[in-house]
Amino acid sequence: MLEWILSALIVIGAFFTLVGSIGLYKLPDFFMRLHGPTKATTLGVGAILTASVLYFSFKTDDISLHEVLITVFLFITAPISAHLMAKAALHIKLKRVGRTREPADH
Amino acid sequence: MKKLFPHPVLTLALWGIWLLLNNTMAPGHLVLGFILAFSISLLTSGFWEEKVYIRAPLMLLRFLRIVLWDILIANITVAKLILGRNRKLKPGFFYVELDIRTPLGISLLANTISLTPGTVSCDLTEDRTRLLVHALHIEDIPATVKQIKERYETPLKEVFTEC
């Protein structure tokens, strides 16, 4: 039973990480590509780390909670790097897809 | 009490991180971690511009639950958008008018917006009243803004207050 849950979590994690990378490759402009990595770090890494917590907690005697820390650090750093890149891209007025809607006013 | 614990949230966070780093609940580490957390937050209190405390811990838990759930749902939606035809996507920038004023609150809100797939916070206006957000695919801007304000901003505003 545990094996099934673990493998499901790992497959889900791998899938969403893959989708994030596909997005990075496939989406047309920089701002849209930014959405790829934020996805990969949330659900993708989250599912894989959950699998790791479960595996090491059940297969060994100790409860392993290191992974919680990884999640916390990722959740803190990923949005900040995305924010900084977006801010820099806005500053140098990077090209965006023509159909992008602009904010109501500046 | 306030003098001894100038930054209670920081103290607790440092303590928790120390225990997680060592992956233990041994009494020795509990004490050592507490001493470190206590002295670090006391020594660095001068550097922290604002001092906050958590007013409603239960609200914080509810907020975390909402965010985790939204991340799950939004991930699936965005995965479909990415794998589908990208030409149909309607990306857009929009402003979110902020009611929240504390720097910590604003940064947590911006982080939450970036973490939930489909939206990335891009810029904060100089006067800290509006947040520029980019969405991968957006149909109805006012509805999305309303949702962000209701789901994330209102609980955050209630949880953190300055002491």
Side-chain angles (χ1 to χ4, degrees):
Chain A
M1 187 58 197
L2 181 67
E3 261 86 20
W4 280 103
I5 298 173
L6 289 179
S7 25
L9 279 171
I10 292 172
V11 170
I12 291 170
F15 173 75
F16 280 102
T17 314
L18 178 68
V19 169
S21 316
I22 292 176
L24 200 58
Y25 170 72
K26 201 178 150 198
L27 291 168
D29 74 349
F30 177 81
F31 291 99
M32 292 168 83
R33 278 199 291 273
L34 262 184
H35 293 277
T38 50
K39 239 157 312 313
T41 46
T42 51
L43 195 57
V45 176
I48 291 173
L49 290 175
T50 313
S52 168
V53 170
L54 288 177
Y55 178 82
F56 285 105
S57 298
F58 283 103
K59 292 282 166 173
T60 60
D61 293 335
D62 309 315
I63 292 176
S64 172
L65 289 175
H66 269 141
E67 291 85 351
V68 176
L69 213 55
I70 303 180
T71 320
V72 170
F73 287 150
L74 271 178
F75 273 40
I76 294 173
T77 53
I80 293 176
S81 47
H83 181 89
L84 282 177
M85 280 188 278
K87 208 175 157 98
L90 280 174
H91 185 70
I92 60 172
K93 299 196 171 62
L94 215 60
K95 253 214 240 150
R96 43 194 93 158
V97 185
R99 60 180 186 276
T100 306
R101 273 192 273 179
E102 297 300 319
D105 59 302
H106 275 284
Chain B
M1 208 51 188
K2 220 180 227 180
K3 266 200 171 148
L4 276 178
F5 295 97
H7 214 288
V9 179
L10 179 69
T11 313
L12 278 179
L14 283 173
W15 197 11
I17 287 174
W18 177 263
L19 292 175
L20 282 173
L21 271 175
N22 287 296
N23 220 0
T24 174
M25 283 297 267
H29 274 296
L30 277 174
V31 174
L32 182 59
F34 181 76
I35 293 172
L36 282 172
F38 173 76
S39 45
I40 289 173
S41 53
L42 198 63
L43 289 173
T44 58
S45 65
F47 298 115
W48 298 88
E49 194 185 316
E50 52 160 358
K51 307 206 179 337
V52 292
Y53 71 102
I54 298 173
R55 192 171 51 176
L58 282 180
M59 189 64 129
L60 185 65
L61 286 181
R62 229 192 73 201
F63 171 72
L64 285 177
R65 208 193 62 211
I66 292 178
V67 170
L68 286 179
W69 179 249
D70 281 6
I71 286 176
L72 200 70
I73 296 298
N75 256 300
I76 297 165
T77 325
V78 173
K80 271 189 218 151
L81 290 178
I82 288 180
L83 296 175
R85 298 204 14 211
N86 290 164
R87 237 176 262 159
K88 281 190 188 157
L89 292 180
K90 291 180 198 148
F93 286 99
F94 58 92
Y95 277 113
V96 177
E97 303 276 338
L98 296 172
D99 290 325
I100 204 162
R101 283 286 168 266
T102 55
L104 180 74
I106 295 176
S107 53
L108 277 176
L109 179 67
N111 267 17
T112 314
I113 290 174
S114 296
L115 271 179
T116 46
T119 46
V120 168
S121 63
C122 297
D123 206 357
L124 183 67
T125 49
E126 295 266 323
D127 53 359
R128 289 177 174 174
T129 54
R130 289 186 304 169
L131 195 64
L132 183 64
V133 178
H134 181 266
L136 184 60
H137 177 73
I138 188 161
E139 301 272 1
D140 186 356
I141 291 179
T144 313
V145 172
K146 194 165 163 258
Q147 199 194 356
I148 288 176
K149 290 186 81 74
E150 270 175 13
R151 289 183 83 89
Y152 310 137
E153 193 182 11
T154 317
L156 270 179
K157 220 169 77 185
E158 285 176 35
V159 168
F160 292 101
T161 42
E162 284 184 73
C163 32

